[in-house]
Amino acid sequence: MLVLLTYLLIGAISVGVYWAVKEEVQPYVLIVASLVFFSLHDLISLLILSIASLITFYLLRLGSKRSFYFSLCFIILSFLFVIFKVDATIEEGSFNASLPLGMSFYLFRLLHYAIESYKGHLRKTELKTFITYMFYLPVLIIGPLIRLGDWSKEIKRRRWNPELFSNGMERIMFGFIKITFLGNFLVNAKLSTFIRSFEDEQSWIVNYLECFQYTANSYLQFAGYSDIAVGLSMLFGIRIMENFRFPFLATDINDFWKRWHISLSNWCRDYIFMPVASFSRLTWLAIIASMLVLGLWHELSLRYILWGSFHGVGIVIWNLQDKYFGRKLSSKAMSIYSVIGRIITIHFVIFSFAFVKEESVSESFRILLILVGLD
């Protein structure tokens, strides 16, 4: 909570300074705000982000042997990602234990920049634009994973807009309520008290509610921070992509991943699914590879490998049944099919979090067996 409050305080101060200075100075206000935030909370993150950003930018500016320098850059960024993820897992056994603040997000943004630069899409990026993009305060903590091309267009056409500013304030308020009141108070505190009221022999309902609690809290925390990021960005006159779009209204697991952590799903689609599908000509393999990377992005551990594989296999199975069954239904049957699909999807997601809410894989499987009535 201290990190969030500091983030909001620095954001509020920087917004005031940002609109008080000349337009050409505004990007530097954004950079300074991020430097202050990192300096107060995680100097290691600031050091890693600074060094990795400069190495990436200048390596990819070298004219000769582009493939070599891109490969070197890709290896360096992947190594940093893996080494800190492994360190966090070994030391504490939980996500973000000793992980530098925001590292998963800014290293994936650097990988995006490296790949797009190698393709020739971002070769003319100026250093000021690149640094402002990498040190953009609203997305530092928990995303979304914005793309440099889209963000550059927005920052160039930014203007003071009272309506956008008002909408930004509302989004920040909604996000803060999601995190604090709905997530921390209702789901974590009150629901925990309700779960403890059940007797020991009522193991199914206890485990079901605990999985529901973990799922709901994960959504409220992620979506709340995303709301704040989107809202704070609006205060700077810059629109960034939405990261969550009512995921629990999804009619199927494929639709769910178009609504949940959209920026990460799109990143995996563009940089994992498309290359694997093009190379192997196997859609199912590309889907599972994408979901494995998505899982490992959260944590390098067996439980997240299982979680990602579970979702990957679920998407493959859904695609098969939709191809041979779902698309042949009448309009009336399709409405019933959609309702059933929503019920199945939300429970598929809830059950999947049994893999990651426990440290022990064996305990996760025990919970799953209870949930499906086999324990």
Side-chain angles (χ1 to χ4, degrees):
M1 185 55 66
L2 179 61
V3 173
L4 174 60
L5 294 176
T6 306
Y7 168 80
L8 290 172
L9 177 61
I10 293 174
I13 295 171
S14 60
V15 167
V17 176
Y18 178 86
W19 290 114
V21 301
K22 295 181 179 179
E23 185 176 324
E24 57 269 22
V25 181
Q26 289 175 345
Y28 297 105
V29 174
L30 297 175
I31 296 171
V32 171
S34 296
L35 292 175
V36 172
F37 175 76
F38 271 132
S39 299
L40 291 174
H41 283 287
D42 198 336
L43 287 173
I44 296 296
S45 288
L46 177 59
L47 182 64
I48 295 170
L49 175 56
S50 301
I51 294 173
S53 298
L54 291 174
I55 289 174
T56 300
F57 182 81
Y58 284 110
L59 271 180
L60 296 170
R61 302 284 284 191
L62 298 175
S64 60
K65 299 181 180 178
R66 285 183 59 214
S67 296
F68 170 77
Y69 290 118
F70 166 72
S71 300
L72 179 60
C73 181
F74 190 87
I75 290 169
I76 291 171
L77 294 176
S78 299
F79 174 78
L80 285 173
F81 183 81
V82 170
I83 199 69
F84 281 103
K85 285 285 189 178
V86 169
D87 180 62
T89 303
I90 290 174
E91 287 192 15
E92 302 291 342
S94 61
F95 177 53
N96 269 348
S98 59
L99 201 65
L101 187 65
M103 193 200 72
S104 296
F105 290 92
Y106 61 71
L107 284 183
F108 262 38
R109 280 192 284 131
L110 280 173
L111 285 169
H112 149 70
Y113 175 78
I115 294 169
E116 295 301 321
S117 294
Y118 177 69
K119 291 178 179 179
H121 299 162
L122 302 173
R123 295 288 291 173
K124 296 181 181 179
T125 303
E126 296 179 357
L127 179 61
K128 182 181 76 170
T129 302
F130 173 72
I131 293 298
T132 309
Y133 164 71
M134 288 308 304
F135 284 86
Y136 188 50
L137 180 66
V139 301
L140 282 182
I141 299 180
I142 202 163
L145 284 165
I146 56 176
R147 306 293 180 95
L148 178 55
D150 298 333
W151 179 85
S152 296
K153 292 176 184 176
E154 283 295 323
I155 198 170
K156 286 177 183 176
R157 59 187 177 215
R158 69 191 186 279
R159 295 290 184 275
W160 168 255
N161 185 331
E163 183 179 355
L164 185 65
F165 193 91
S166 176
N167 291 338
M169 293 292 290
E170 287 181 5
R171 289 298 294 274
I172 292 173
M173 180 183 68
F174 292 154
F176 192 77
I177 290 172
K178 281 180 183 176
I179 294 169
T180 56
F181 180 71
L182 297 179
N184 296 345
F185 179 69
L186 287 184
V187 173
N188 276 348
K190 291 300 182 181
L191 185 54
S192 292
T193 302
F194 177 69
I195 293 171
R196 287 195 296 269
S197 68
F198 288 93
E199 303 293 336
D200 292 339
E201 60 270 15
Q202 296 173 295
S203 60
W204 187 90
I205 188 64
V206 168
N207 282 281
Y208 177 84
L209 287 175
E210 285 179 346
C211 286
F212 169 81
Q213 180 185 42
Y214 190 93
T215 304
N217 186 59
S218 296
Y219 166 71
L220 291 169
Q221 298 297 325
F222 273 114
Y225 272 105
S226 293
D227 280 340
I228 291 173
V230 171
L232 182 57
S233 191
M234 287 179 178
L235 301 189
F236 292 120
I238 300 170
R239 293 177 174 87
I240 58 175
M241 71 176 298
E242 297 291 340
N243 214 16
F244 291 84
R245 191 174 289 115
F246 305 106
F248 298 114
L249 296 180
T251 56
D252 55 73
I253 192 60
N254 201 35
D255 184 34
F256 174 83
W257 281 108
K258 294 177 182 178
R259 297 164 173 266
W260 176 285
H261 216 320
I262 301 168
S263 62
L264 178 59
S265 299
N266 290 349
W267 194 99
C268 290
R269 178 199 63 200
D270 294 342
Y271 301 127
I272 306 298
F273 175 84
M274 296 302 292
V276 173
S278 298
F279 179 77
S280 67
R281 306 293 180 182
L282 298 172
T283 303
W284 66 267
L285 180 62
I287 291 171
I288 292 176
S290 299
M291 297 310 299
L292 278 174
V293 171
L294 195 149
L296 292 172
W297 177 86
H298 290 84
E299 180 183 290
L300 294 181
S301 65
L302 178 58
R303 59 183 185 158
Y304 273 95
I305 289 175
L306 292 171
W307 180 76
S309 301
F310 187 75
H311 277 271
V313 171
I315 294 172
V316 170
I317 292 173
W318 180 85
N319 284 340
L320 287 173
Q321 73 81 29
D322 185 61
K323 178 180 179 180
Y324 293 107
F325 175 72
R327 298 176 190 175
K328 300 177 182 179
L329 295 174
S330 64
S331 58
K332 184 177 181 180
M334 184 60 74
S335 61
I336 300 173
Y337 178 73
S338 298
V339 172
I340 295 173
R342 285 188 172 93
I343 295 171
I344 293 174
T345 300
I346 193 171
H347 284 88
F348 181 91
V349 173
I350 290 172
F351 287 14
S352 75
F353 277 104
F355 285 111
V356 296
K357 81 179 195 70
E358 302 292 337
E359 294 296 328
S360 168
V361 173
S362 60
E363 179 65 14
S364 296
F365 277 108
R366 187 189 71 82
I367 291 171
L368 280 172
L369 289 174
I370 291 173
L371 292 176
V372 297
L374 296 178
D375 185 75

